Amino acid sequence: MAALQLPPKPKNSLYKKIKGILIFLIVAAIYIWTFVSIDIDFAKAIEQVRQNFGNVISGLFQPNWAATGDVALSMLETITIAFAGSLMAAILSIPLAFLAANNMMGGKIGSAVGKWILSAVRAFPDIILAILFVVAVGPNPFAGVLAIAIGSTGMLGKMFSEIIESIDMDVVQAMQANGANRIQILFFAVMPQVIPEFLSYAIYRFEVDIRASSILGIVGAGGIGTMIFFASSNRDWSQMGTILLGIIIVVTIIDFASAKIRRKIV
Amino acid sequence: MSKNKSDSLSMYPVKTKKQVTLIGLIVLGMYLFSMFWTQREMVGGFSGALSNMFQVLEKFFPPNLSVLSAIMGPLFQTIQMAIIATTIAAIITVPLALLSAQNVTTFKPLYVATRTLLNLLRTIPDLVLAVIFVGLFGIGIFPGILALIVFSLGILAKLISETIESVDMNPLEAMRASGANTLQMIYYGLIPQVLPQYTSLVLYVFEINVRASVVLGYVGAGGIGLLLNQQIGFYNYPNAMAIIVMIFVVVLVIEYISNKIREALI
């Protein structure tokens, strides 16, 4: 009776082993560096939390209902910042996405340039863009709109270009073979394939931008962030409770609505 | 007759056209309102701001690169905070993701409860978390790290639970049929399928954390943000630009490295 034969185990090559060990060593070194040089004063933190816990937590759970009107107005401002910003971004990122997609007009060089622009824009955190625009156009909500618009263009442009790259090129070629010009190809072969996904990502981005724009006020770019800043400097925790409640409600509603709409589109 | 002909040639039915027009008008209306609302306090309006913008932004150039050595300390601290926060979040997220994956947690109330908790967690902006933790633990990097952990937990657990939900259940069922217990099923059936995605998502959240940690300094939760805030406050724009350039470089480098690791994994 023959013994049951197991298939041989896959052997790792020497190169793979060395690579694995090297990555492990680098990661270990990063962790050692991190934990050796960081210093956290736990004793102080524990002492502080003993003093503040009751104050902060009871404040947060007893919202200041008198501030509801102010919070609602600020939230409206946050929503308008996010809306104007993401719509601008959605429009701005379309030409950039067509440039960055390697199967469209740009060719290899254009695609590289487009991708480079998009990733450079993406590397700026929203808050940094907000700082720059607050200095440029003054401390008002419009600085927030510009920050959101530019910040989202980087991400949306990347998403859009990936969508364009994934379209069915057979349709485009068939139209070319039939003698369609470039504009006809754009409107009848490319657009119908990409529009539902473009819309879906733009709406998703609006969701993200609501969260992003709610913190921009800390650098003076309007919205609910301004109230967060004042409540935190005054250590007014019941005010903070109201703000938090407002943010949670608005974000939840918008997430829910956007998920519904996106499911309908795609 | 000619009217009928043009109708039959059109790609979309009249009803869809009407709907699209209506939605377009609503979006346009919301956009105009948003633009009006965010610019209502602005002096000089949109055109005034834009013409002014490049003039003001010139003040940031050239960046004062002689302060680089002073920036390095806080910058490394920011990265370290992100490393620690991401690591701890990556560990805590495992049980949470398992609990909020529908195919692992078959006990429905538990699944719904975890899902709801995570959804709630994700609505709270990182800045608000930082403010609350600074209120509790006092100024320092400890509240900053806690804020990053909680913030990234919401994102990470959701993404990973979705990955777990999309795994191929057939190997797991085969294992159960041949008598494996739950732990064996997770170790030999689930982990090999999820691990590459898991690592990729952890790296993604690490990138998010590096960006997010910039804002933490504004409320006293450690990192480079504090320095940036001070320099902007002193109107020392060339110094501020040096900090911004360094953040830009760090974000680009980290994105590059994590992209390389991701490519090696998947």
Side-chain angles (χ1 to χ4, degrees), chain A:
Chain A
M1 202 170 142
L4 192 62
Q5 282 284 317
L6 285 171
K9 277 194 170 177
K11 277 200 177 126
N12 281 340
S13 67
L14 189 67
Y15 169 73
K16 248 189 168 174
K17 265 187 195 159
I18 292 175
K19 204 171 148 191
I21 292 170
L22 213 63
I23 289 176
F24 175 77
L25 282 179
I26 292 170
V27 172
I30 289 173
Y31 273 108
I32 290 168
W33 168 68
T34 301
F35 282 100
V36 166
S37 55
I38 206 127
D39 75 302
I40 298 172
D41 194 349
F42 282 109
K44 199 190 112 211
I46 289 168
E47 191 202 324
Q48 286 265 1
V49 81
R50 268 209 202 114
Q51 283 175 13
N52 299 333
F53 192 80
N55 209 341
V56 174
I57 299 299
S58 69
L60 283 178
F61 283 97
Q62 285 165 337
N64 173 14
W65 298 115
T68 315
D70 288 344
V71 170
L73 265 183
S74 285
M75 271 325 284
L76 177 69
E77 197 169 271
T78 299
I79 296 171
T80 54
I81 291 172
F83 190 83
S86 31
L87 193 60
M88 275 186 194
I91 293 164
L92 265 177
S93 55
I94 291 175
L96 281 170
F98 272 96
L99 180 67
N102 57 19
N103 53 351
M104 287 293 136
M105 56 192 199
K108 235 180 182 174
I109 300 166
S111 160
V113 171
K115 286 208 164 85
W116 208 90
I117 294 174
L118 288 174
S119 70
V121 172
R122 261 202 325 277
F124 281 106
D126 288 342
I127 201 85
I128 302 261
L129 291 169
I131 291 169
L132 291 175
F133 284 120
V134 163
V135 175
V137 303
N140 56 51
F142 193 64
V145 173
L146 291 175
I148 294 285
I150 303 294
S152 303
T153 301
M155 204 66 212
L156 269 184
K158 184 186 178 222
M159 296 294 185
F160 284 4
S161 76
E162 278 166 10
I163 294 167
I164 297 170
E165 281 173 7
S166 72
I167 64 165
D168 183 1
M169 287 302 278
D170 290 350
V171 186
V172 176
Q173 274 163 14
M175 285 191 72
Q176 265 169 351
N178 280 320
N181 63 29
R182 295 187 80 119
I183 292 177
Q184 283 171 329
I185 291 176
L186 181 68
F187 275 98
F188 293 100
V190 180
M191 283 304 189
Q193 291 192 55
V194 296
I195 278 188
E197 289 200 63
F198 274 20
L199 281 177
S200 168
Y201 272 103
I203 293 168
Y204 170 69
R205 191 63 214 184
F206 173 58
E207 228 178 282
V208 175
D209 284 341
I210 287 276
R211 286 159 218 242
S213 64
S214 65
I215 67 169
L216 296 183
I218 198 133
V219 295
I224 192 88
T226 320
M227 284 188 87
I228 296 176
F229 181 66
F230 284 123
S232 86
S233 352
N234 297 337
R235 310 194 137 256
D236 187 348
W237 297 109
S238 58
Q239 179 98 336
M240 190 65 90
T242 327
I243 295 168
L244 195 54
L245 202 61
I247 293 177
I248 290 176
I249 291 171
V250 168
V251 171
T252 310
I253 291 174
I254 285 177
D255 278 11
F256 187 74
S258 115
K260 271 258 155 103
I261 295 173
R262 279 187 289 144
R263 215 168 297 145
K264 236 184 158 178
I265 291 175
V266 178

